[in-house]
Amino acid sequence: MPSKLTKLAVVLGLGLVGSVGAAAQGLPTSRPEDVGLSSAALERIAPALQTYVDSGNLAGVVGVVARRGKVGYARAVGWMDAERQVPMRTDGVFRIYSMTKPIIAAGILKLVEQGKARLDDPVAKFVPAFAAVKVYAGGPASAPVVKAPDGPITL
């Protein structure tokens, strides 16, 4: 049974893979059970994604889950072009922005799960330059006031 951290990493990962469905198209596909996934659990994804479309928060979404180098699940919901009612496709191409955060978060959570790191570890333990970091404390952009943070920056 997956741990809570693994489930969180999957949730974070869905944000990423939902944006890169086209990239996953190069992977071979497989029945979910053949790569250790549950078809029943995966079938709950599309309705959850559809709620974002129905609420108007997103025009369309692609969800892709790959494991062991194979795509076990790929579904598209909503619209590629909502105005013209062009359905979303699993090979849709998307602009992706600020994707380093979920990638790093998933990697850190994997290290935490393996016992190699803790969420309250100081970043300086892994990147020594963060030991001397300063943070903005006020003042104009032309003459900012900086100070040491109140505590160490943690993972």
Side-chain angles (χ1 to χ4, degrees):
M1 173 157 221
S3 71
K4 288 182 182 178
L5 285 174
T6 299
K7 289 177 185 175
L8 180 58
V10 168
V11 170
L12 290 170
L14 276 177
L16 171 62
V17 296
S19 300
V20 292
Q25 295 303 312
L27 294 175
T29 59
S30 176
R31 287 182 346 105
E33 284 72 20
D34 292 345
V35 291
L37 298 169
S38 164
S39 291
L42 292 172
E43 289 307 318
R44 296 189 328 233
I45 295 172
L49 296 177
Q50 186 67 50
T51 62
Y52 288 99
V53 173
D54 294 343
S55 70
N57 289 323
L58 297 171
V61 182
V62 175
V64 178
V65 178
R67 185 161 192 227
R68 299 180 185 149
K70 295 181 180 175
V71 174
Y73 176 89
R75 298 290 184 283
V77 298
W79 309 103
M80 288 182 74
D81 183 336
E83 191 173 297
R84 291 188 233 152
Q85 301 271 297
V86 177
M88 180 60 73
R89 299 178 1 191
T90 57
D91 65 350
V93 177
F94 301 83
R95 291 184 178 155
I96 56 175
Y97 303 97
S98 297
M99 292 312 300
T100 54
K101 294 174 197 75
I103 292 168
I104 296 300
I108 288 173
L109 290 173
K110 193 69 177 168
L111 291 172
V112 168
E113 190 174 60
Q114 294 171 358
K116 296 178 180 176
R118 295 171 36 114
L119 291 178
D120 59 356
D121 279 342
V123 174
K125 177 177 177 180
F126 306 98
V127 184
F130 274 84
V133 74
K134 301 287 184 200
V135 296
Y136 176 75
S142 59
V145 176
V146 295
K147 68 175 186 93
D150 293 336
I153 298 172
T154 61
L155 295 180

